[in-house]
Amino acid sequence: MGKTLGYARISSDQGQDAASQKAMLETLGAIVVFVDVGSGSKLTGRVQLEAALRLLEPGDTLLALHPDRLARDTGDLLTIAKRVIEQKAVLRINDPHIVMDGTDMMAEVLLTIMGMVGMMEKHFIRARQKRGIDAAKLKGLYKGRPPTISPDAVRELRQQGLGATEIAKRLQISRASVYRMFDS
């Protein structure tokens, strides 16, 4: 019998805590729990997930509480499952109960459906966020992200005869940002 590695993810450490996920994973048998902080919408940058996948050996189990803790995209969820199975390990999700070891087609179908649900949820979250921003803009409450570039600094360097590339280097910003300042 192999070891069970737990995986938890929280979207943000602002007001969220992975402690409850970690405790539940340990209760379910995880000997160690890997925790990422960040969006589940893409796999890149998920250092702890990568560490857990690298440590898996034949007979081990990767355990997550819900499919959306692993990924909010069908392709990413199936990519993770494939990597686990290629290492002759098992992917186990607690709710809904899914055990994927590469031998049960229904587990793959259920995982695919759950990935699609996660993608829909991601879409609905973005749509609600956009509606909220649009409503705030109408009330004059939303101005967007505050500028990180001083237009005066860009203008001053431009008046000194510097080109966009040199201005970007000096201010440590992109050339595209410099060009946007030229237009404004």
Side-chain angles (χ1 to χ4, degrees), residues 64-83:
L65 295 179
H66 307 285
D68 69 347
R69 297 301 86 201
L70 287 169
R72 288 192 182 271
D73 177 89
T74 307
D76 290 345
L77 194 55
L78 293 173
T79 295
I80 293 167
K82 182 179 178 188
R83 287 185 61 190

Side-chain angles (χ1 to χ4, degrees), residues 131-143:
R131 283 195 306 270
I133 289 171
D134 290 346
K137 282 180 179 178
L138 286 173
K139 295 177 184 175
L141 300 174
Y142 184 83
K143 309 275 192 265

Side-chain angles (χ1 to χ4, degrees), residues 4-160:
T4 298
L5 305 178
Y7 179 73
R9 182 188 57 78
I10 55 174
S11 300
S12 163
D13 55 7
Q14 303 295 315
Q16 292 185 358
D17 185 2
S20 62
Q21 285 184 61
K22 188 175 179 185
M24 182 64 146
L25 289 163
E26 289 169 347
T27 299
L28 293 170
I31 60 167
V32 65
V33 176
F34 296 82
V35 179
D36 274 319
V37 177
S39 172
S41 64
K42 56 188 170 204
L43 290 178
T44 56
R46 309 249 310 268
V47 178
Q48 293 297 301
L49 177 60
E50 281 301 318
L53 291 169
R54 277 194 313 274
L55 285 175
L56 286 174
E57 297 175 342
D60 289 350
T61 298
L62 178 64
L63 171 64
L65 295 179
H66 307 285
D68 69 347
R69 297 301 86 201
L70 287 169
R72 288 192 182 271
D73 177 89
T74 307
D76 290 345
L77 194 55
L78 293 173
T79 295
I80 293 167
K82 182 179 178 188
R83 287 185 61 190
V84 170
I85 291 166
E86 284 173 348
Q87 292 173 251
K88 297 184 178 19
V90 173
L91 175 62
R92 191 172 111 215
I93 297 173
N94 187 57
D95 184 23
H97 182 74
I98 301 172
V99 177
M100 192 161 173
D101 63 2
T103 63
D104 182 3
M105 184 63 179
M106 287 311 295
E108 187 171 348
V109 168
L110 186 54
L111 195 63
T112 302
I113 291 169
M114 295 311 297
M116 292 169 59
V117 169
M119 287 175 64
M120 284 177 30
E121 188 175 83
K122 182 172 65 173
H123 169 78
F124 292 144
I125 289 168
R126 285 186 179 148
R128 285 191 301 269
Q129 180 184 29
K130 184 180 180 330
R131 283 195 306 270
I133 289 171
D134 290 346
K137 282 180 179 178
L138 286 173
K139 295 177 184 175
L141 300 174
Y142 184 83
K143 309 275 192 265
R145 191 176 84 186
T148 56
I149 305 163
S150 165
D152 294 335
V154 173
R155 268 188 234 107
E156 184 179 315
L157 292 171
R158 179 72 166 166
Q159 288 171 352
Q160 293 174 16

